[in-house]
Amino acid sequence: MNEGVGETSYANNSLLQKKVITLTKPITVSAMTDLYSTLSPTKICIADLGCSSGPNTLFVVSELIKTVVRLHKKLGQQNESPEFLVLLNDLPGNDFNTIFKSLLPNFQENLRQELGHGFGHCFVTAAPGSFYGRLFPSQTLHFVHSSYSLQWLSQVPERLEENKGNIYMASTSPPNVLEAYFNQFQKDFSYFLKCRGEELMTGGRMVLTFLGRKSDDPSSKEGCYIWELMALALNDMVTEGLIEEEKLNSFNIPQYTPSPAEIKSVVERDGSFIINRLEVSKVNWDAYENEICYSSEITKDRGYNVAKLMRAVAEPLLASHFGKSIIDEMFRRYREIVADRMAKERTEFFNVVVSMTKRV
Amino acid sequence: MNEGVGETSYANNSLLQKKVITLTKPITVSAMTDLYSTLSPTKICIADLGCSSGPNTLFVVSELIKTVVRLHKKLGQQNESPEFLVLLNDLPGNDFNTIFKSLLPNFQENLRQELGHGFGHCFVTAAPGSFYGRLFPSQTLHFVHSSYSLQWLSQVPERLEENKGNIYMASTSPPNVLEAYFNQFQKDFSYFLKCRGEELMTGGRMVLTFLGRKSDDPSSKEGCYIWELMALALNDMVTEGLIEEEKLNSFNIPQYTPSPAEIKSVVERDGSFIINRLEVSKVNWDAYENEICYSSEITKDRGYNVAKLMRAVAEPLLASHFGKSIIDEMFRRYREIVADRMAKERTEFFNVVVSMTKRV
């Protein structure tokens, strides 16, 4: 992700991710309602994995806390609501200082104002590290949430040499490339489930939202199109001699956009979780679609909006491989290609949400 | 504290604080040995309050973990050592990003190398906030440590108008000033004990080291001399018209250097803790005393070393009250005054350590 709070930063280009969180909120809230109704813990430990540092950080956590406190009041309990321990996780490079200095005071003030009397203690801590590994002590978590993070793999899959001219799975990728991507996803997601299975207590809940696809075909447009269009821009620049062909051939995005069936199969093989819900939803590539037009620049040029979103997410990966010098030009071309396609067809991201309970 | 890693930063001027931690290590290690021998928990939750962000961060925690793992092996237990959850606390302005990015990888690698096989999981999290308030969920902590932090008050005491010409308690401070300082200390430390009493589990341990004094007289040289010399430098600058007299009269340091008897009295009134040990030790103002002379500049000019130490700690307080422009000149004068006194008398800081157990 692009750091900081500038024009191309992730913090300023994460409206789409917020839309997805809002879209899946009913599922998250319902899981927390079930948890609280069943276990009624006096301390609730909530982990948000891939919390980032921006307007979306603490957004879901805030909704989860409100859910519990309102339920607590509704059940007519006179004592203070449970204590909350919030564990914010992201990679060690995430800007936790900004969360602590800028976001946390507002978060706590808002909760106090909105919930008023009867809202107990809420402690927020940061737990840095990769979620493809243990992050928390055994059997201490009640609720795990993660949105738009788990499609990122722990590494670029091995043996992608034959994925020439592509930067992700594509309709022209040979079968062994699709297989390498799927194997890496299976390996990573299995280990993720193993770790969370150790950390969650029995009856604990986990709601995960992936950038994914509906189709069973891993190279279908649903999951790959946005990267295929970026590959078009890069290939154009190879043709014009602005990027070396070898550089492009050796670049691949460490992502996998899974289908509901693939997620289900890994969860069942792991065996620690019962799936309660598994659903697919869609959002337009352009998060500003249907938004009121505050800024003419933002809403008129939909290619611009999408290219900015993708730049905020992918610039560090691209810059470290191709060098910083190609970035502006590449995204200028990408913006045009994206705008052209969006004018001709309906372009959407597919979100796969899975809500689970930790078995005994 | 001065931020960053520059010449005048706290991170580069905290050797004295490290010496104090080393000096009190036997007490800390013995408290952890007792805790583990008595409770044998399978998860150990350790909080370090006022952890800072520099070479001292994680130093005590590392010793505590080694103590447990070695004891675990000595007791002939074949299974993995307990899981450790480390909670690093400091104010929200502390540089937690640097802890996560630079200090944590070394910390974990060193533990793994030194302890080898049988060392279980160790999770490190950051919990920002003032320790004069709740920081953690109820009854979740096993061990609390804090060194050279609790002499800082939550605020400058009220009603110090008559402390003219002084910046801290001094031999010339009127009785009501000494009383105001003591009252603020009592109030702050009582609330600290109340909060930790709620957070620690029964049988949990707490080891606190204060910059303090041995004498019963709060205005004795032991606790105040270092600030009295700073007041001399400031008064000189008032005489020369470089600082307004009113500015000096309205400046007071939010610190209290308590005696063992004062600490004991507050702990007993609170009633949640049993005092196991209460001891006083001393360190020379100049942390480089007796150090091998790597840099001639550092060790020859002892006034320089001490002024740098005090600048790292007090510059932000001074600069926000007097303005940045007086800082260099003030510390130049302070350095001379300190050097002169150190040549004539033995100048020492007094450390008061209290080791306690949480009652049933």
Side-chain angles (χ1 to χ4, degrees):
Chain A
M1 308 294 146
N2 270 339
E3 291 180 4
V5 288
E7 169 82 6
T8 59
S9 68
Y10 177 78
N12 269 333
N13 293 282
S14 48
L15 180 64
L16 182 102
Q17 288 84 346
K18 183 152 203 160
K19 282 205 161 173
V20 174
I21 295 174
T22 309
L23 207 61
T24 55
K25 201 178 106 177
I27 299 176
T28 320
V29 162
S30 144
M32 181 54 103
T33 305
D34 282 357
L35 173 91
Y36 187 64
S37 313
T38 323
L39 302 183
S40 308
T42 56
K43 292 169 216 164
I44 302 187
C45 195
I46 303 170
D48 196 19
L49 312 183
C51 64
S52 76
S53 170
N56 300 341
T57 309
L58 292 165
F59 176 49
V60 165
V61 167
S62 167
E63 294 302 321
L64 290 171
I65 291 174
K66 286 180 202 163
T67 302
V68 171
V69 176
R70 286 179 186 140
L71 199 61
H72 177 84
K73 286 186 181 172
K74 205 170 145 190
L75 295 170
Q77 287 162 330
Q78 296 302 312
N79 54 339
E80 267 201 343
S81 75
E83 291 182 347
F84 297 94
L85 177 61
V86 175
L87 301 151
L88 297 176
N89 159 263
D90 212 312
L91 291 173
N94 189 50
D95 187 1
F96 289 101
N97 285 354
T98 295
I99 300 181
F100 293 158
K101 281 193 277 194
S102 313
L103 305 175
L104 214 46
N106 289 335
F107 163 77
Q108 279 164 333
E109 186 51 35
N110 287 347
L111 282 180
R112 232 173 278 125
Q113 280 192 3
E114 205 163 318
L115 298 171
H117 185 72
F119 166 50
H121 287 290
C122 173
F123 309 103
V124 179
T125 63
S130 163
F131 48 54
Y132 296 123
R134 281 288 300 274
L135 291 166
F136 311 105
S138 307
Q139 297 183 52
T140 49
L141 305 182
H142 293 89
F143 200 100
V144 171
H145 174 264
S146 182
S147 184
Y148 261 42
S149 300
L150 268 162
Q151 70 273 13
W152 291 104
L153 300 170
S154 67
Q155 57 173 73
V156 177
E158 285 168 11
R159 300 191 190 154
L160 297 185
E161 295 79 9
E162 293 175 38
N163 202 26
K164 295 198 200 317
N166 297 320
I167 63 169
Y168 185 53
M169 298 185 292
S171 46
T172 58
S173 295
N176 65 348
V177 165
L178 306 183
E179 203 179 291
Y181 264 103
F182 178 59
N183 287 343
Q184 187 66 47
F185 166 74
Q186 273 195 311
K187 194 178 151 194
D188 284 342
F189 187 45
S190 291
Y191 192 54
F192 176 91
L193 290 171
K194 183 179 180 296
C195 293
R196 301 297 87 73
E198 289 168 2
E199 293 161 356
L200 272 155
M201 46 185 79
T202 299
R205 295 297 188 117
M206 179 152 75
V207 179
L208 310 174
T209 305
F210 298 75
L211 173 63
R213 63 178 201 278
K214 199 169 185 174
S215 155
D216 284 332
D217 172 13
S219 66
S220 81
K221 252 187 165 184
E222 290 172 0
C224 310
Y225 198 38
I226 194 114
W227 296 117
E228 284 200 56
L229 300 186
M230 193 178 284
L232 283 183
L234 289 163
N235 275 296
D236 282 353
M237 291 173 77
V238 169
T239 310
E240 292 174 33
L242 299 171
I243 292 175
E244 287 169 47
E245 190 171 1
E246 179 36 42
K247 271 274 170 205
L248 175 57
N249 287 341
S250 58
F251 181 72
N252 289 287
I253 296 284
Q255 199 174 80
Y256 189 82
T257 39
S259 70
E262 287 167 345
I263 292 171
K264 187 162 176 256
S265 129
V266 180
V267 171
E268 287 179 348
R269 200 164 333 137
D270 170 76
S272 333
F273 294 91
I274 299 157
I275 294 180
N276 307 308
R277 291 172 79 165
L278 178 57
E279 295 177 16
V280 179
S281 60
K282 296 183 282 184
V283 279
N284 196 287
W285 280 4
D286 179 13
Y288 294 91
E289 189 206 25
N290 304 329
E291 290 284 305
I292 301 160
C293 181
Y294 291 116
S295 152
S296 59
E297 191 199 14
I298 283 179
T299 47
K300 276 185 190 153
D301 185 343
R302 299 170 68 198
Y304 173 81
N305 299 342
V306 176
K308 248 180 104 192
L309 162 79
M310 293 301 285
R311 182 169 183 164
V313 167
E315 178 166 348
L317 278 175
L318 291 158
S320 83
H321 186 86
F322 294 105
K324 282 183 186 170
S325 59
I326 67 123
I327 297 295
D328 282 338
E329 179 56 21
M330 200 286 285
F331 278 103
R332 197 192 57 72
R333 289 164 188 246
Y334 185 50
R335 170 182 173 173
E336 280 176 18
I337 295 170
V338 167
D340 176 61
R341 299 306 168 102
M342 288 176 85
K344 292 174 185 159
E345 46 193 313
R346 186 145 183 87
T347 50
E348 286 166 325
F349 290 118
F350 285 75
N351 320 307
V352 187
V353 195
V354 58
S355 177
M356 299 178 266
T357 304
K358 171 74 173 39
R359 283 182 201 274
V360 179
Chain B
M1 309 296 146
N2 270 340
E3 292 180 2
V5 288
E7 169 82 6
T8 60
S9 67
Y10 177 78
N12 269 334
N13 293 280
S14 48
L15 180 64
L16 183 101
Q17 288 84 345
K18 183 150 204 162
K19 280 204 163 176
V20 174
I21 296 174
T22 309
L23 209 60
T24 55
K25 201 178 107 176
I27 299 176
T28 320
V29 163
S30 144
M32 181 54 103
T33 305
D34 281 359
L35 172 91
Y36 187 64
S37 311
T38 324
L39 303 183
S40 308
T42 55
K43 291 170 215 163
I44 302 186
C45 194
I46 304 170
D48 195 20
L49 311 183
C51 64
S52 76
S53 170
N56 300 340
T57 310
L58 293 164
F59 176 49
V60 166
V61 167
S62 165
E63 294 301 323
L64 290 172
I65 291 174
K66 286 179 203 164
T67 302
V68 171
V69 176
R70 285 181 188 140
L71 199 60
H72 177 85
K73 286 186 181 172
K74 206 170 143 189
L75 295 170
Q77 287 164 329
Q78 296 303 313
N79 52 340
E80 267 202 344
S81 76
E83 289 183 347
F84 298 94
L85 177 61
V86 175
L87 301 151
L88 297 177
N89 159 263
D90 211 312
L91 292 172
N94 188 52
D95 186 1
F96 289 100
N97 285 353
T98 295
I99 299 180
F100 293 158
K101 280 192 277 194
S102 311
L103 305 175
L104 214 46
N106 288 336
F107 163 77
Q108 279 162 332
E109 186 50 35
N110 288 345
L111 282 180
R112 231 171 280 125
Q113 280 193 359
E114 207 164 316
L115 298 171
H117 186 70
F119 166 50
H121 286 290
C122 173
F123 309 104
V124 179
T125 63
S130 164
F131 49 55
Y132 296 122
R134 282 287 301 274
L135 291 167
F136 310 105
S138 307
Q139 297 182 52
T140 49
L141 305 183
H142 293 89
F143 201 100
V144 171
H145 173 265
S146 183
S147 184
Y148 261 43
S149 300
L150 268 161
Q151 69 272 13
W152 291 104
L153 300 170
S154 67
Q155 57 172 74
V156 177
E158 284 169 10
R159 300 189 190 154
L160 297 185
E161 295 79 8
E162 294 175 37
N163 203 25
K164 294 198 201 315
N166 298 321
I167 62 169
Y168 186 52
M169 299 186 293
S171 46
T172 58
S173 296
N176 64 350
V177 165
L178 305 184
E179 206 179 289
Y181 264 103
F182 180 59
N183 288 343
Q184 186 66 47
F185 167 73
Q186 273 195 310
K187 194 178 151 196
D188 283 343
F189 188 44
S190 292
Y191 193 54
F192 175 90
L193 290 171
K194 184 178 179 297
C195 293
R196 301 299 87 74
E198 289 168 3
E199 294 161 356
L200 271 154
M201 45 185 81
T202 299
R205 296 297 187 114
M206 179 152 75
V207 180
L208 310 174
T209 304
F210 297 75
L211 173 63
R213 64 181 200 277
K214 199 169 186 174
S215 154
D216 284 333
D217 172 13
S219 67
S220 80
K221 251 186 165 184
E222 289 172 3
C224 309
Y225 197 38
I226 195 114
W227 296 117
E228 283 200 56
L229 301 186
M230 194 179 283
L232 283 182
L234 289 163
N235 274 295
D236 283 353
M237 291 174 78
V238 168
T239 311
E240 293 175 31
L242 300 172
I243 292 175
E244 286 171 47
E245 190 170 1
E246 180 35 46
K247 271 275 169 203
L248 175 57
N249 287 340
S250 59
F251 181 72
N252 289 287
I253 296 283
Q255 196 173 83
Y256 189 82
T257 38
S259 70
E262 288 167 346
I263 291 171
K264 187 164 178 253
S265 129
V266 180
V267 171
E268 286 178 348
R269 202 167 328 138
D270 170 76
S272 333
F273 294 91
I274 299 157
I275 295 180
N276 307 309
R277 292 172 79 166
L278 178 57
E279 295 177 17
V280 180
S281 59
K282 298 183 281 185
V283 278
N284 196 288
W285 280 5
D286 178 13
Y288 294 91
E289 190 206 24
N290 304 329
E291 290 285 305
I292 300 161
C293 181
Y294 292 116
S295 150
S296 58
E297 191 198 15
I298 283 179
T299 46
K300 276 185 191 154
D301 186 344
R302 299 170 68 198
Y304 172 80
N305 299 342
V306 175
K308 249 180 103 190
L309 162 80
M310 294 300 286
R311 182 169 183 164
V313 168
E315 177 165 349
L317 279 174
L318 291 157
S320 82
H321 186 86
F322 294 106
K324 281 184 187 172
S325 60
I326 67 124
I327 296 295
D328 282 340
E329 178 56 19
M330 200 287 285
F331 278 104
R332 198 193 54 74
R333 288 164 188 246
Y334 185 51
R335 169 182 174 175
E336 279 177 17
I337 295 170
V338 168
D340 177 60
R341 298 305 167 105
M342 288 177 84
K344 291 174 185 158
E345 46 192 311
R346 186 146 185 85
T347 50
E348 284 164 327
F349 290 118
F350 285 75
N351 320 307
V352 188
V353 195
V354 58
S355 177
M356 300 179 266
T357 304
K358 171 74 172 36
R359 281 183 203 276
V360 179

